[in-house]
Every structure is written in C-alpha cells, then in structure tokens.
C-alpha cells in the first residue's frame, strides 16, 4: 500500500486538559502489514516514521513536537498482540466494524466473546505520546517518564504539538439552513439529499459507494430525511445552529412529519428534501410505520435527558437506530426479507 489513509485525532480540542497550555495532543494511526509481512522493522522503522511525519506535515498539521511516542508491530507483539496487530483480523472492509464476528453465539446462551476481533468495532490504540510541558519549558517530570511501565506508557499515547486556529474545524452548517429557494425537480431533490449526506455523514456517504449506483440516490434520500429531522432537534448554538426554543423546534418537527406523511399519501411532494424521500418510500414500498417510530424518538430528544428503565431506552433505540435498518432493507432487496430483518435492525443499532 504505497499511499495508505491515515487516522488523525486531536483529543485536546474536546478536552483541553489532555495537553499543556499552548499545546495540543494529536495521535496519528497508519495501517501497516503485521509481522507476517516482509518489512524488517528494525531497519525500516525510522524511514517509515519519517515518511509518516512528512505526510502529516503536508496535510497542514504542525510538527513542533514536544514529546513523541511511536509503536510499530514489534511493540504491539511485545504487548501480547498476535503478529503485532491490535486489530487481530486483517483490516479490510469486510473485517471492520459491523462485519466483524458477532460477540454472542446463539448456539451457546450466555456465552459472550470479547476482544479486538469482535463487535462493535476494532479497538484503535494510540501511536504517539502526550506532552508533559509546553515547548522550551523545563520539566521535572520528564526523567520520571523513563521509568513508567509499558502499560502506563501505552495509555499515554498521544503526540503533542501546537495547533493553529486555522485548522480547527467548525460544525457543518445544519441542513435546515441549506434549503434552496423555489421549486426543485426530482433529480435536484436527490442531488440535495446527496449533498446533505456528503456534508454531514462522511462515513455513511462513502459506504454507499459499495452499493449499485442505481440504489445510491435512494440511500442518500433516507439519510437526508433523518439528518433534516435531527437538525431540527439540534437547532442550538453548540451544533452550529440558532438558539431556538424547544417548543418551536417541537412544532417544526411535528410539521415536518405531518407534511411527510401527507405527501406519501398523496404520492408526491413539493418540499425540496421530501420530494426525493417520498419517491424512494413509494418506489420500494418502505413501511411507513418505521418513519412514525423514528420521528417519535426524535421528539423524545427534545425533552428527555435520561430513561428510567431499560425498556424505555429500548423504545428510544428502536426509533433512533433500529428503524434505519428497516428503512434500508427494501432498498437492499435481500432474497429473504424476514431472515434479514433482525440483522438489519442489529446492524443499524451497532452503527449508531
């Protein structure tokens, strides 16, 4: 893999205590072959790390490193990871996330599998270390770092450096602020839904690429429906929106749902988002009850902060997650719908 994708995470953007004043913590993860491959890590480690640093720099991240911690497959093997990989299974598409082996086996009730080969996801471990002091500052704690255990060092695996304000990403503009003026055609409505998915649901957007092209726009329509409803609920400054009172958002959500159900009944819509959604729902005869349950859970989000019982939480999860699998299933057209349904619900819940 000459040019692999890398994962860059800046934890100190959310928790400033993870880095000293004036600094930020960053970790960078790059996929590599495990120890069954042909890389001689004792010889290639420095060259590979140099290449990784160059790539991070080229992406606009600063490289004024205060403290750096590096882990290669040899280090992972010393920590007990088979063949030096914390992912256990090969990190290919169908061995990631929801495609990994389930952590329960219905043949043996009560048996639960745990570890990096099972659901919900493979476990990412850090690959760099958190700084102990800002640049050019003396520190009395630095010598002690040489004596911490591998487990302690493993837990402190972030790379610390200055972070310019320019690369601090702002939340995407809520979809409620992106509606076009005037009527739209069906193709334009689907294009708008695709844009919403690409702006807000990067993971969901790119996952549609594994589907036949003839189905992709229908998935974008379902995503746009869910995203638009969610943005009505989250129309507050912390999500990049306005300070809208709860009762106003509740009315807007109810109006959105009422218009949608009326348009499905009529078989057409003039709404720039719902035009595509209604077309998709009717084209695949998607159960309208799934949308009722989804909007019920979105309404809960307006006022409910916690659930008193497990059953109450399951009702919320049914409408906020599992129904998405139900909506998607007719588009995927499984050969045995009834057999696929529980898996679709589980997959949507794990992905949420």
């Amino acid at each position: 893999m000459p040019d692999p994708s890398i994962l860059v995470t800046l934890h100190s953007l959310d928790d400033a205590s993870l880095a000293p004043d004036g600094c930020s913590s960053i970790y960078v993860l790059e996929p590599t072959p495990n120890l069954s491959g042909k890389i001689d890590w004792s010889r290639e480690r420095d060259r590979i790390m140099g290449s990784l640093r160059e790539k991070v720099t080229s992406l606009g991240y600063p490289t004024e490193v205060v403290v750096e911690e590096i882990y290669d497959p040899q280090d992972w093997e010393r920590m007990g990871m088979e063949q030096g990989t914390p992912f256990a299974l090969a990190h290919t598409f169908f061995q990631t996330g929801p495609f990994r082996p389930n952590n329960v086996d219905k043949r043996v009730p009560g048996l639960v599998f745990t570890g990096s080969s099972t659901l919900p996801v493979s476990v990412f471990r850090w690959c760099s270390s958190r700084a102990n002091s800002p640049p050019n500052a003396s520190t009395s704690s630095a010598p002690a770092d040489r004596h911490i255990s591998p487990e302690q060092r493993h837990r402190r695996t972030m790379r610390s450096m200055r972070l310019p304000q320019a690369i601090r990403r702002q939340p995407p503009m809520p979809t409620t602020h992106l509606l076009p003026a005037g009527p739209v055609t069906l193709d334009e409505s689907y294009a708008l839904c695709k844009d919403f998915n690409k702006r807000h649901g990067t993971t969901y957007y790119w996952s549609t690429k594994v589907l036949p092209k003839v189905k992709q726009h229908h998935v974008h329509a379902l995503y746009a429906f869910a995203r638009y409803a969610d943005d009505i609920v989250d129309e507050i400054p912390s999500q990049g929106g306005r300070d809208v009172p709860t009762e106003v958002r509740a009315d807007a959500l109810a109006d959105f749902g009422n218009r949608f159900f009326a348009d499905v009944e009529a078989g057409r819509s003039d709404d720039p988002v719902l035009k595509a959604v209604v077309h998709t729902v009717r084209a695949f005869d998607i159960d309208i009850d799934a949308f009722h349950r989804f909007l019920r859970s979105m309404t809960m989000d307006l006022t409910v902060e916690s659930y008193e019982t497990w059953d109450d939480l399951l009702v919320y999860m049914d409408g906020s997650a599992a129904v998405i699998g139900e909506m998607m299933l007719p588009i995927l057209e499984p050969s045995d719908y009834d057999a696929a349904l529980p898996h679709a619900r589980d997959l949507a819940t794990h992905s949420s």
Side-chain angles (χ1 to χ4, degrees):
M1 190 183 297
D3 185 25
S5 298
I6 64 173
L7 173 71
V8 181
T9 304
L10 302 161
H11 290 94
S12 55
L13 287 179
D14 297 314
D15 185 353
S17 68
L18 295 176
D21 291 342
C23 292
S24 295
S25 59
I26 178 173
Y27 77 80
V28 183
L29 181 67
E30 180 177 36
T32 66
N34 60 37
L35 292 178
S36 65
K38 298 180 180 180
I39 294 179
D40 182 348
W41 283 98
S42 60
R43 297 177 55 186
E44 299 291 338
R45 175 187 173 107
D46 290 344
R47 182 187 65 80
I48 292 174
M49 280 309 304
S51 175
L52 181 58
R53 290 188 190 96
E54 289 178 2
K55 185 166 187 176
V56 171
T57 302
S58 71
L59 293 173
Y61 296 98
T63 52
E64 300 174 37
V65 179
V66 179
V67 175
E68 182 180 68
E69 194 77 24
I70 302 168
Y71 290 92
D72 65 31
Q74 294 178 122
D75 298 312
W76 292 119
E77 185 180 48
R78 285 190 286 269
M79 295 179 192
M81 302 292 182
E82 183 71 21
Q83 293 295 332
T85 170
F87 298 112
L89 296 175
H91 205 55
T92 57
F93 181 78
F94 286 105
Q95 292 186 13
T96 59
F99 299 106
R100 299 176 80 80
N102 209 319
N103 46 9
V104 295
D105 191 331
K106 295 180 180 178
R107 296 172 299 179
V108 187
L111 176 63
V112 179
F113 300 103
T114 63
S116 54
S117 292
T118 58
L119 290 173
V121 294
S122 52
V123 180
F124 284 179
R125 300 298 185 187
W126 321 138
C127 58
S128 304
S129 178
R130 171 178 155 187
N132 296 304
S133 62
N136 303 320
S138 60
T139 174
S140 59
S141 62
D145 282 351
R146 301 190 185 99
H147 304 292
I148 65 176
S149 68
E151 291 77 14
Q152 290 172 311
R153 190 176 296 276
H154 176 66
R155 288 194 294 268
R156 298 176 56 194
T157 50
M158 283 178 287
R159 184 180 181 182
S160 194
M161 55 182 67
R162 297 182 187 276
L163 180 66
Q165 185 69 26
I167 68 172
R168 293 176 182 267
R169 294 188 59 188
Q170 298 298 316
M173 181 70 71
T175 54
T176 48
H177 298 190
L178 298 173
L179 298 182
V184 298
T185 65
L186 181 60
D187 286 344
E188 289 170 339
S189 179
Y190 273 115
L192 179 65
C193 293
K194 179 179 179 180
D195 180 64
F196 285 0
N197 196 354
K198 191 172 184 179
R199 282 173 174 267
H200 293 264
T202 306
T203 302
Y204 295 97
Y205 174 78
W206 289 109
S207 67
T208 62
K209 298 298 183 182
V210 304
L211 297 176
K213 194 169 184 178
V214 70
K215 295 181 180 292
Q216 292 177 16
H217 60 294
H218 295 297
V219 178
H220 295 319
L222 291 184
Y223 177 89
F225 176 86
R227 169 53 58 186
Y228 192 87
D230 196 53
D231 281 350
I232 293 175
V233 173
D234 292 334
E235 189 74 358
I236 53 178
S238 62
Q239 272 77 37
R242 300 164 296 179
D243 189 8
V244 179
T246 300
E247 59 271 19
V248 175
R249 286 181 278 147
D251 289 343
L253 184 63
D255 177 69
F256 178 68
N258 291 336
R259 287 188 289 111
F260 167 70
F261 295 122
D263 289 347
V264 171
E265 183 69 22
R268 60 181 299 278
S269 177
D270 294 325
D271 183 276
V273 176
L274 295 181
K275 183 182 285 286
V277 182
V278 169
H279 181 262
T280 290
V281 170
R282 292 181 66 88
F284 290 92
D285 194 24
I286 301 175
D287 185 2
I288 203 69
D289 181 62
F291 295 88
H292 280 287
R293 284 146 53 210
F294 171 78
L295 291 172
R296 177 191 61 195
S297 288
M298 291 299 98
T299 303
M300 292 179 187
D301 275 338
L302 288 166
T303 56
V304 181
E305 296 183 354
S306 63
Y307 293 89
E308 293 185 2
T309 69
W310 179 251
D311 287 341
D312 291 338
L313 178 61
L314 289 180
V315 170
Y316 170 75
M317 289 297 294
D318 169 74
S320 64
V323 294
I324 303 300
E326 293 183 37
M327 296 175 189
M328 278 286 299
L329 200 56
I331 298 175
L332 299 178
E333 297 182 302
S335 57
D336 188 334
Y337 179 90
D338 291 336
L341 180 59
H343 300 290
R345 287 175 52 83
D346 288 345
L347 183 60
T349 302
H350 282 304
S351 300
S352 297

